[in-house]
Amino acid sequence: MEFLDLSIVFQCLVEDKEIGTATTLIHNAHAKLWGVSVGELHSAAVRNTPKLLGYEIKGLWEMLHEIMQEENFPEEPEYGVPLYLLSNRCRVNGAACILYPNLLKDFSEALGSRFYIIPSSVHGVLFLPADDTDRSGELRETIKEVNDTQLIPEEILSYSLYYYDRETDEIRIA
């Protein structure tokens, strides 16, 4: 399914106590074989994904500290503007959390601000509160640099910058 300049894809989550958790991509051929439409897959994903995978929104520094698990992790620098990372609890393919019903609206209300959505990778997105300063050019340059130098092609979510407008409850390309 198309969403802005992105594609929504569906996966089947398989859990096994002995070997762990895995996902497999659902192709159009699977849907045809199973006799389900893309709309039905989408409805099932909207219902099930938040329940099965949940989400986490944490300050970027806090999340990095957890991932690195280092005792001597440096103190959080004073950025002036906080960055938040959104992913699912597995931290795999967590960028899809932006599609969870009411998640962006609830976060915006808690934050008291509109915000940019920076596509960090398919595994998560960053939220940057927006003020009256236009940072879009600088942010797009950063997205391009990170995608081109830090990610493998399969992990690139997008080269676009997104904006969540709390007045309209919509995401748009910035």
Side-chain angles (χ1 to χ4, degrees), residues 1-4 6-10 25 38 42 45 96 99:
M1 290 180 65
E2 298 302 314
F3 177 74
L4 300 171
L6 302 168
S7 293
I8 299 172
V9 297
F10 304 101
L25 188 62
V38 171
H42 182 256
L99 301 172

Side-chain angles (χ1 to χ4, degrees), residues 31-65:
K32 186 176 179 180
L33 179 68
W34 300 334
V36 296
S37 68
V38 171
E40 289 170 314
L41 285 173
H42 182 256
S43 293
V46 168
R47 251 188 345 270
N48 295 325
T49 307
K51 289 181 202 172
L52 294 171
L53 300 177
Y55 73 92
E56 295 180 329
I57 300 176
K58 293 187 176 183
L60 179 60
W61 204 256
E62 177 184 1
M63 186 73 78
L64 289 173
H65 187 253

Side-chain angles (χ1 to χ4, degrees), residues 110-128:
L111 188 63
S113 175
R114 56 201 190 282
F115 53 90
Y116 291 104
I117 301 171
I118 302 166
S120 177
S121 76
V122 295
H123 303 301
V125 297
L126 295 170
F127 293 156
L128 175 66

Side-chain angles (χ1 to χ4, degrees), residues 5 9-10 23 37 51 54 95 98 109 147 167 169:
D5 64 340
V9 297
F10 304 101
T23 61
S37 68
K51 289 181 202 172
I98 65 170
E109 287 177 9
N147 285 349
E167 302 295 321
D169 187 30

